[in-house]
Amino acid sequence: MRAIAPVLLVIALLACVPVVTASNLVLNFLVTTLLLALLGQAWNVLGGYGGQYSFGHAAFFGTGAYVSAILQVRFGMNAWLAFGIGIAAGAFVGAVIGALCFRSGLRGSYFALVTLAFAEVLRIIASVAPITGAGVGTLIPLDLRPEAFQFQSRAPFYWIMLAVVAVSLVLVRLLEKSRFGAWLVAVRENEDAASALGIDAFRIKLAAMTISAAIAAAAGGFYAQYFLFVDAGIAYGPRVSVEALLAAIIGGLATVFGPLLGAIAIKTLGELTKLIAGDAPGLDLVVYGAMLIMVVAFAPRGIAGLLTELRDRFGRGVAPVPA
Amino acid sequence: MLSPGILVPAVLNGLLTGAVYALVALGLTLIYGVLHIINFAHGALLTAAMFAAFFAHRLLGLDPYIAALILTPLFFAIGYGLQRCVIGPASHGEDRNYLLVTLGLAVVIENALLYAFRADTRTVTLDYAFDVIQFGPAFLAVPRVMAFAAVIVVAVALWLFMRLSDTGKAIRAVAREKLGAELAGIEVAHIYAVTFGLGTACLAIAACLLIPTYYVNPQAGNAFVLIAFTIVVLGGMGSVVGALIGGLLVGVVESLSGLYLGESLGQIGIFIVFILVLLLRPTGLFGQPVL
């Protein structure tokens, strides 16, 4: 319980927001931020704890989004069930890609390249295959009932999103404390040494990738349900892959709260850019890319690392920041 | 379908396209061979060079082949500066950081171009763009033949430079044995930046060769770079000869698969070759072991 107390505290605070304000603008901002935090957390499991830098998390996000949308629209399946199957499908895609990559011993930049290529293959297929609606995309019909995973207002969405992010935070916290987490970090730090100690590096990495893909697919399913529209560029586009790793790295790799902090920073910065320069295409990503370089150059431990440093320097009286 | 009247032009056109692929791949493999990093900003830099070639023609009226004389040194300087001032210092010598920094750079460049020029597709109109010459049963576009010849010249010049000049020898020394080269008095940071500059200069030449027959938009370079990654992997990371042969090979494969499978499936074909090669034979067809 002590291990997850800080997680619960943060979540409880965030849960009060819709009580204070009913502004759609604020809630919309928070929902998209949480969506990004979830996606970043997915990347963090594999990239942060596992040290495997994927440049293609869109493959899992997109699969979650498409499978859940297509099952509803084309097969009339219940939205919640479709959402669940979407997560399973994303995890499956992750397991397949992971098995192929890790079986062939791909590491570092090769792993990044291959994941990127898989996401691109899926994007091209989705943009021509009839079942995905090809270039037009898939539109989920409006049906504002909780049974259909659609709501009259944004607040229930926010709470559900928050609950899922909370689950992911607790999950990562537990992972950090678990034997599996220790193995994963050992593989990241030195795979050969870890293998020599009897750790099955292949299975550990594969498990991390599957978990990571499942979380990313959940984010994708939420995206489809919230915006009620999916197309190839949104679902499998490189932007998703870039944002996933940005949130994790800017927030602080291999920390529980890193992706949440990173998502807040990125979305705030994005809104500020819009406010200052108008809604111009591309400008927000210019800022994100520059931020990525700055963080790698000057704050390799991300925002979480900076906060820990602050705490260490000004120690007493400041609430502990869990790392 | 297999009559020489169709096949020969397809193969020849594939070779012509492949030459430009090879040039893009040459830059990538050069950087990989020396710095041991995959430059994810390669595509964005190619797009930037294509925009530069486009505006050199639009605003200054410079023919792309003339513009190459100015853009090549300019992009060498840009590449040198990027490695010396941004990529090198920001990466702290860690491979994972190189990945992230070059990715960040790609995101910045590509989206800055998107912001400045919107997603519009632009083309250059030149009076010789549609000239053709006959070669056996094939009619070949003059700009593409020029591009092929230019790539051969550049490749030979680069090869001579690497063999004969002191800088070239230093580059090869650093690629072979970084620490030893440093002990022998070679300034590694400078050599890294020169190599990155050479790789970027290849892109400027490729852009000027492409622009007469191709279009430019903020994503234009990406198509080439994924192909270039495939070529570099196919030819063996860091192998210059591999990049050239791989480039021509991929050009022909693409042309033939376009002929038999159609455009969009041909595009997937490249990716599938890429993934298969990486999974099954990551050292490439000609390469030495990597990593």
Side-chain angles (χ1 to χ4, degrees):
Chain A
M1 197 58 205
R2 266 192 62 123
I4 58 170
V7 177
L8 296 178
L9 184 69
V10 170
I11 296 301
L13 280 175
L14 281 173
C16 298
V17 174
V19 181
V20 183
T21 169
S23 151
N24 267 347
L25 205 68
V26 173
L27 288 181
N28 195 39
F29 172 79
L30 288 173
V31 169
T32 49
T33 304
L34 288 174
L35 204 66
L36 182 55
L38 193 62
L39 189 61
Q41 194 65 275
W43 202 90
N44 189 30
V45 170
L46 184 65
Y49 291 97
Q52 310 297 317
Y53 284 15
S54 148
F55 281 8
H57 256 56
F60 320 129
F61 177 90
T63 303
Y66 261 123
V67 168
S68 123
I70 289 170
L71 285 177
Q72 290 175 60
V73 175
R74 306 214 176 239
F75 300 94
M77 190 181 276
N78 173 276
W80 292 92
L81 189 59
F83 176 69
I85 295 178
I87 294 176
F92 176 73
V93 170
V96 170
I97 297 178
L100 285 172
C101 289
F102 299 138
R103 190 53 86 195
S104 322
L106 295 183
R107 298 181 189 181
S109 24
Y110 287 85
F111 179 72
L113 266 176
V114 170
T115 47
L116 177 78
F118 269 111
E120 282 293 287
V121 167
L122 288 173
R123 186 180 64 78
I124 295 171
I125 293 175
S127 66
V128 293
I131 193 163
T132 58
V136 186
T138 299
L139 196 68
I140 300 175
L142 202 63
D143 179 8
L144 295 177
R145 294 173 305 138
E147 303 94 277
F149 202 162
Q150 296 183 26
F151 304 97
Q152 298 283 351
S153 78
R154 284 170 209 262
F157 240 116
Y158 172 73
W159 278 317
I160 294 173
M161 199 64 236
L162 192 63
V164 173
V165 168
V167 170
S168 79
L169 287 174
V170 171
L171 203 75
V172 171
R173 184 71 179 161
L174 294 177
L175 179 141
E176 208 173 46
K177 300 276 161 206
S178 72
R179 189 170 282 253
F180 172 72
W183 283 336
L184 190 58
V185 170
V187 169
R188 174 189 73 195
E189 291 302 322
N190 189 335
E191 192 173 328
D192 297 330
S195 302
L197 288 172
I199 296 173
D200 187 344
F202 173 76
R203 280 186 56 188
I204 297 292
K205 287 196 286 185
L206 189 59
M209 183 134 173
T210 310
I211 297 170
S212 174
I215 300 174
F222 264 114
Y223 183 95
Q225 224 48 50
Y226 187 69
F227 291 98
L228 298 176
F229 177 69
V230 183
D231 77 9
I234 292 172
Y236 288 124
R239 187 185 177 117
V240 172
S241 303
V242 169
E243 285 193 349
L245 70 91
L246 270 175
I249 291 169
I250 289 175
L253 280 175
T255 59
V256 173
F257 283 101
L260 183 58
L261 293 171
I264 294 171
I266 290 168
K267 287 290 172 187
T268 310
L269 210 63
E271 290 300 318
L272 279 178
T273 316
K274 256 186 218 167
L275 213 64
I276 295 166
D279 197 357
L283 199 59
D284 52 347
L285 276 168
V286 172
V287 176
Y288 297 169
M291 202 158 144
L292 176 63
I293 298 174
M294 302 290 261
V295 167
V296 172
F298 302 115
R301 289 166 64 215
I303 299 172
L306 291 179
L307 290 179
T308 317
E309 234 168 75
L310 275 182
R311 182 191 66 185
D312 291 347
R313 194 166 300 171
F314 303 108
R316 284 148 213 142
V318 182
V321 180
Chain B
M1 277 305 261
L2 284 169
S3 75
I6 298 173
L7 210 55
V8 170
V11 169
L12 285 176
N13 270 308
L15 283 175
L16 297 186
T17 316
V20 179
Y21 291 165
L23 187 55
V24 177
L26 202 62
L28 201 60
T29 209
L30 197 63
I31 293 171
Y32 185 87
V34 179
L35 282 77
H36 302 288
I37 58 163
I38 291 181
N39 175 21
F40 274 93
H42 213 60
L45 285 167
L46 176 61
T47 315
M50 287 166 85
F51 268 106
F54 173 82
F55 281 108
H57 178 265
R58 168 67 56 87
L59 301 178
L60 308 174
L62 281 180
D63 188 276
Y65 299 116
I66 313 263
L69 300 177
I70 302 160
L71 290 181
T72 307
L74 177 68
F75 271 78
F76 175 83
I78 290 174
Y80 187 96
L82 277 178
Q83 165 62 27
R84 196 82 200 242
C85 308
V86 180
I87 303 173
S91 302
H92 310 295
E94 264 190 55
D95 283 359
R96 282 177 188 153
N97 291 344
Y98 272 113
L99 274 184
L100 296 177
V101 172
T102 54
L103 178 75
L105 214 53
V107 171
V108 169
I109 295 170
E110 192 181 315
N111 288 287
L113 292 171
L114 177 66
Y115 175 65
F117 306 120
R118 300 298 144 124
D120 308 340
T121 290
R122 296 172 161 87
T123 49
V124 162
T125 32
L126 298 162
D127 40 2
Y128 54 79
F130 294 104
D131 291 355
V132 289
I133 50 170
Q134 193 172 2
F135 187 88
F139 289 92
L140 304 173
V142 168
R144 285 155 58 90
V145 176
M146 297 264 290
F148 184 84
V151 170
I152 302 296
V153 170
V154 169
V156 169
L158 195 64
W159 188 81
L160 288 175
F161 172 78
M162 295 295 263
R163 293 285 135 184
L164 303 179
S165 75
D166 283 346
T167 313
K169 286 177 187 163
I171 290 175
R172 288 192 295 136
V174 171
R176 190 69 58 83
E177 177 54 60
K178 184 182 146 198
L179 190 65
E182 206 162 12
L183 288 173
I186 294 171
E187 196 192 347
V188 171
H190 171 70
I191 292 299
Y192 272 8
V194 168
T195 310
F196 205 93
L198 285 174
T200 315
C202 285
L203 291 178
I205 300 172
C208 293
L209 297 175
L210 276 172
I211 206 77
T213 54
Y214 206 71
Y215 58 86
V216 56
N217 67 30
Q219 255 111 45
N222 291 349
F224 289 92
V225 164
L226 264 151
I227 293 168
F229 278 139
T230 315
I231 294 163
V232 168
V233 167
L234 203 67
M237 288 276 187
S239 156
V240 171
V241 178
L244 282 176
I245 298 176
L248 298 176
L249 198 68
V250 165
V252 174
V253 166
E254 190 196 44
S255 164
L256 290 179
S257 62
L259 187 64
Y260 292 113
L261 300 174
E263 277 291 314
S264 56
L265 273 181
Q267 209 184 352
I268 286 188
I270 297 281
F271 282 110
I272 292 183
V273 168
F274 173 65
I275 290 171
L276 284 178
V277 170
L278 263 185
L279 293 178
L280 302 175
R281 199 169 159 69
T283 53
L285 298 178
F286 321 96
Q288 315 95 338
V290 285
L291 286 186

